Structure formats: C-alpha cells, structure tokens
Amino acid sequence: MEGKRSSTPQSNKRSRSDFEGDDQREKNGTVPEQGSEDSTSDDDLGPQLPSTAPKKKKRALPHEKLYVSALPSSPRYSKSLMHKEQLSFITLTPQTDFLITSSVDGVVKFWKKVVDDIEFVKEFRAHIGEIKSVSVSADGRSFATAGADRTVKIFDVITFDLLSMLTLGSTPNAVCWVHGHGASIPLLAVSDGVNSKIEIYDGRGENQKPIHTISGLHRSPVCLMNYNDAYDCVVSVDDSGMIEYWRPKGDYEKPDNVFQYKSSTNLFEFKKATIPGTLLHGISKSVPTSITISPNGSQFAAFSFPDRKVRIFDFPTGKLFRTYDESIPTISAMQQAGTALQKLEDVEFGRRLAIERELENPTVRNRQNVVFDESGHFIIYGSMLGVKVINTLTNRVVKVFGRDENIRALNLALYQGQPQKKGLVTISMAASANPLLQDAEARDPVLVATAAGKVRFYLFTNDEEITKSTRDVQNEKPRNLSGRNEAAITKQSETGSAAVIHTTYGDIQIRLFPEAAPKAVENFVTHSKSGYYNNTIFHRVIRKFMIQCGDPLGDGTGGESIWGSDFADEFSTLKHDKPYTVSMANAGPNTNGSQFFITTEKTPWLDNKHTIFGRAVQGLDVVHRIENARVYKEKPEEDIKIVNIDIK
C-alpha cells in the first residue's frame, strides 16, 4: 500500500523549495539537463510554443541571375547619338531589329541594330512641328507617326521607306497598329484630339477614309492606345483617366476572353486617384502617359501623372498587381529618412528635384514610359535616381542604370536579341555551365534611353571599357555656332505676325504686334510652338466683356512665362478701343505669365493696365460662340479647349 501511494499524482507535485532551488541553480549558471529528474518538460499541459519563431519564406524567382545577365551589364552608357532637337520617342521594332528615333521638330531617323552597335540608315522630315504619337506593329514591319500638322505618316520598316500619308481634319492624339501576326490587311487606329472618336484605317494608306469609326466608347479624347496580340485586344485611355478594352474587328466591343464586368476590375484606379497638393485646383484624378504590354500579354504597365506612379495590372482580369510610388513627396521623405535607394548630397538632391518638377510640363510628361524585359518578370523605367530594374515578384530593385550619369532618363527601349545567332535555347540550357553553349549564344543586349532636356539618346550595353571623351558622338552639326546671322535667325523664330488658335468651337485668327509688345509676342509664340497651350481650356468667360484662357491648371491660378517668372508690362499707343483686342491677363502691374484674353466689347478701363499684343481678325463668330456658352461662376459648364496654335 505504501508503494501504491508513492506512484499517485500527488507524488509528482513540486514543492516551493523545489522552485526556489531551480532559481538558485539558474543564478549559479547551472541548468538541468534533459532527462534528469529536475526536468519539467513532462509536467506542462497543453501545446508548447516553438523554441524559435519559424523563418518567413522569402519569395524567389527561379533563374533570377540568368534573367539579369540578359540585361546590359554596364551601369554607365557607352555611347550617345544626336538629333538636332530634343527627342520625343524611341522605338525598337520586334523581329526586324530596327531602332527608330523621333524628335520634337518632326524628324524621324531609322537605325539598324548590328553586332555590338547600331548603324544609321535613313532620316525623314516626317512632320512640320511636334510628333504627337508613334506606333510599331506587332510583326515589326510597319511604323506610323501622328503629327501636330494633322497628318499621319506610314512607313515600311523593312525597306525603311515612307509609304503613304493620311490627311486628317483635326490634330490626332494617338496612333496604334491593331493587327496581329499574319494579318491580311494591316489596321491602324487613330484617335482624335478634339473629340472621343477612334477611326480605323487601312494601314496600307490606300484609302483616306476610315474603315470604321468608334464613337461611343470614350467620353473624352483618347490619349493612349496599345494592342495586345495575345488577346487580340486594344487598351485605350482617355484624358479623364478612363481605361477601356475593345476588339479591333467585328463589333469592336470588349472581347470574351477577358473580365466579364468592369466593376470587378481595378481599371478605375486612375479615376479614383487623389493627388496630394492639387485638390486646391480641383484635380482629383491621374492620367497614364504610357501603356506597355508584357511580352506574353498577361500584364500591362502604366506610368501616370501627376501622381507619378507605376502600376502593373493583370491583363485578363484587370486587377491591380503592383504599384510603385515615384512621387516627389515620397522621394523627399525617403531622402530625409535615409531610406532612399541612394543617399544624395543636399545640393545634388535639389538639382535633381528641380528637373523632376520640370517633367510636369504637358509637352514633356508623355515621354515617360515603362518597359518589360523579355521574361516579363522585370519592369524598367527612368527615375530621379537612375533607370531602375525591378523584379515584380520579389519587389526588389535588382539593377540601376545611369546612377551616376548627369541625365534623367525618360523614354526607354530594350533590345535583348542575339544578332550573331538566333537559336532555340531553354532556360535549363542557358543556366548550365557549358562554356561552348554560352559562347555560341552570347547575347548583345542594349538599353536605349532619351533624357530630359537633351538632344541625345543614350546606349547602355555590355561594353565596360568606356571612354568619356569619345562616347558622345557628334553626328549632327552643333547648333548656335555663334555669329550675328545665327542670332538673327533665332530671334526671328521667336516672333511672328499672325496666329491661328484652333479651338473645339472653331478657328480664331489673330494679328500680332511684335513692335508694340515684343516680350508678350515672344512669350505667346514660344508657348504656342512648344505646345504649352495645347488642350488648355477657356476657364473664364464673361458675356459682353471677354473670354480668357492660357492657364494649364484651368482655374486661373496657374501658368508661367517662358522665362520662368513674371515679365513686365509693355504699354504702347494701342488701346482697348475696339472689341477683339488680345491682351495679357495679370494679377497687377508687371505680373504677366501665360494667360491672355480676347475682348468682345470696347474696354477702355483696361488701358495701361493690360499689355495689348494682338487683335482677332477672323473667326469672330467663334469668339462670340465661346462668349455665349453656358457658364457656372464664369467657367463654361462644358470644357472649350485650345487644340493647338499655329504661328505664321
């Protein structure tokens, strides 16, 4: 009986002295061994916590090093080439290996990719004025440009020849080839810069009339289009930030192989976006400046302004996959916190920040784009800290090009082909250590980039032996060689005797007075030629008084002169003694910026208060039509826009 009592549960209970003994042993540095009589592992009831927390499994992309090795290896550019004016777009043609560069003066240049270099082929003066949009077909055989001169030029890439020209009734906003490989007839979509219609043309240019017109898809002018060959579907974006999918044939409706209901997608992301610091101007949306389809068509990436975010969407579902914030407030906060990709000196950070603010200009912002690598796992885009390469699976920056270069990259194009041998290589073969296979399939990648405010485009390659003194090739004659004749030509180009304001209500022709107001005329002409006034609205309309415009913000609080600050009044013998007088708007003496107005009556009380620099001489009915538009608090209820301004 005595032995049975010794085996009862009560005998396993520990006394207070036992616990005190444990405490004393811990103080002395001795711990009971497992299996000893002092061990309490069998006495604790219930589940036990693990001795250490399990490690969180990191996402990993198989063969990531292989994909990165297929990109250019040098972080510095090895070569740069020139246009006479700043570049707008660069395009690498799929399969045909041509590089096509376009500049703001309407010039298009063809270059051919050869082993370790590119060679110049041909130059075209495609447009008189700005090139608004470019597009290359999915098969790499056709190229098109849309210009501010209301024409579309169609090129054959293989023969690098200009095939035909489409003459339009208004300025086009965007062009896009919307046919896939092996199509019997090439199809070219052209969006109108004035209304929301999209016209489909025969891409051979044999017929000046469109095959079909899409008029009810968007409510605002379409600014971007891109074709997804894998889904035979076009993505289009309008000025209000609305994204639509449509099939370029049949009923021209949304295809059946994508989402059923738009409400189940995240395609309203841009409409819902709120931009910090801009609500005072009534802006609560963001608009994409580029749309890029991934190589297999499963995703598309968009860069947008003014929120400066890169968004990646799943194409068939329209769901948002990733967002990367490159906004100025975010960059500034990371710089102050020391968490930025690269810590910059305050002076250098301020210099780069000034360049970032210049990108808000409507004539520059549409040059920023995002590109995918050939695997579709990485996106590449220009930023304040260089050209970033981001693994979208792991959310890591794996490479930065041009980190220490004095350029701010904008428009990018990536070539990853193998011109010396185009064989079939699997990922496993490429990842192997077979030196013969690696040598036979050596790559020749090149990343091409334009830069803000530069007349050059830059090549990042595998060339590590870079000589700064020879890498910037002078393939064009330098401008402004010095001399009075050159200065006179420059001065003459900054003035004019007449202008035509193309509005959504019609054309207004004005006579300019450069002798009476040289600075005001120079400011107006330069802004007009650069496209500064394009798509701005008549924001203030008062019947029996005047119509006012020229503010890129659209609320009367914005706009600046071509010199970046206010300029002085220029009063002369000209008076506000007639209607249709064109004068500078201001906020007091010597505060002239970009805004101007056209009077509809005699306004003598404005004499010696507002600089007169022109008078409307034709299109007076258009002036009165704008004057009589329905307004709310002096602002037209429906936007009346300046499409563009031609100088004569």
Side-chain angles (χ1 to χ4, degrees), residues 207-281:
N207 192 346
Q208 291 289 319
K209 293 184 178 180
I211 298 172
H212 182 78
T213 299
I214 304 173
S215 57
L217 184 64
H218 287 272
R219 295 184 179 180
S220 301
V222 174
C223 57
L224 286 175
M225 293 184 288
N226 208 332
Y227 174 69
N228 189 333
D229 188 26
Y231 285 83
D232 191 24
C233 178
V234 182
V235 183
S236 56
V237 185
D238 63 32
D239 288 342
S240 68
M242 184 61 73
I243 298 179
E244 300 290 351
Y245 286 25
W246 51 277
R247 183 189 294 109
K249 59 186 177 184
D251 57 4
Y252 294 89
E253 297 290 338
K254 181 179 66 65
D256 298 329
N257 55 354
V258 296
F259 56 86
Q260 184 176 4
Y261 300 109
K262 194 173 181 181
S263 58
S264 65
T265 72
N266 297 120
L267 298 181
F268 296 99
E269 186 75 13
F270 301 101
K271 292 283 287 186
K272 297 187 296 183
T274 300
I275 298 89
T278 58
L279 288 177
L280 292 175
H281 306 308

Side-chain angles (χ1 to χ4, degrees), residues 100 110 130 169 221 282 287 328 361 375 393 419 427-428 497 504 544 581 583 621 643:
I100 306 175
F110 281 71
E130 179 189 5
V287 180
I328 291 178
N361 191 315
S375 71
L393 180 66
I427 292 179
S428 299
S497 59
T504 51
K544 301 294 183 181
T581 301
S583 302
D621 58 326
V643 179

Side-chain angles (χ1 to χ4, degrees), residues 310-421:
V310 178
R311 294 176 174 87
I312 303 175
F313 294 85
D314 181 76
F315 190 90
T317 64
K319 294 288 188 181
L320 185 62
F321 174 63
R322 289 279 189 266
T323 301
Y324 301 98
D325 190 355
E326 295 290 340
S327 63
I328 291 178
T330 300
I331 293 172
S332 301
M334 294 178 69
Q335 169 74 8
Q336 292 178 358
T339 58
L341 186 66
Q342 177 185 2
K343 178 70 174 177
L344 299 173
E345 296 292 333
D346 290 343
V347 174
E348 176 63 13
F349 181 77
R351 184 189 70 82
R352 296 194 186 191
L353 202 61
I355 296 175
E356 290 299 308
R357 291 196 174 97
E358 291 176 1
L359 301 185
E360 294 288 350
N361 191 315
T363 62
V364 178
R365 62 169 60 177
N366 67 336
R367 301 176 195 171
Q368 175 86 52
N369 72 336
V370 183
V371 297
F372 286 90
D373 79 318
E374 63 182 5
S375 71
H377 296 303
F378 300 84
I379 58 169
I380 308 170
Y381 61 90
S383 73
M384 181 177 174
L385 301 177
V387 180
K388 293 182 180 179
V389 183
I390 298 180
N391 182 331
T392 59
L393 180 66
T394 63
N395 272 339
R396 288 176 52 249
V397 177
V398 297
K399 199 176 186 69
V400 179
F401 294 99
R403 185 196 298 260
D404 300 318
E405 302 285 5
N406 189 27
I407 60 173
R408 194 333 185 156
L410 288 178
N411 204 253
L412 306 177
L414 178 64
Y415 174 84
Q416 291 182 275
Q418 304 155 353
Q420 56 267 55
K421 181 177 179 181

Side-chain angles (χ1 to χ4, degrees), residues 1-14:
M1 294 295 294
E2 200 66 34
K4 287 181 181 180
R5 278 196 299 271
S6 65
S7 63
T8 60
Q10 285 83 351
S11 64
N12 290 331
K13 288 184 178 179
R14 303 177 68 194

Side-chain angles (χ1 to χ4, degrees), residues 481-528:
L481 291 173
S482 77
R484 295 181 180 179
N485 291 337
E486 188 72 19
I489 293 172
T490 303
K491 186 174 181 180
Q492 186 178 1
S493 66
E494 294 170 347
T495 189
S497 59
V500 180
I501 304 175
H502 302 288
T503 77
T504 51
Y505 273 25
D507 294 348
I508 304 170
Q509 184 169 327
I510 65 174
R511 178 188 172 194
L512 300 175
F513 304 128
E515 297 83 7
K519 279 188 171 294
V521 171
E522 180 184 1
N523 183 68
F524 175 79
V525 168
T526 304
H527 271 331
S528 299

Side-chain angles (χ1 to χ4, degrees), residues 82-85 109 455-456 473-481 486:
M82 297 175 65
H83 270 242
K84 289 183 179 179
E85 294 287 348
K109 291 186 179 184
V455 298
R456 293 183 171 274
V473 180
Q474 297 291 334
N475 58 298
E476 291 280 1
K477 290 182 180 180
R479 300 180 61 206
N480 301 327
L481 291 173
E486 188 72 19

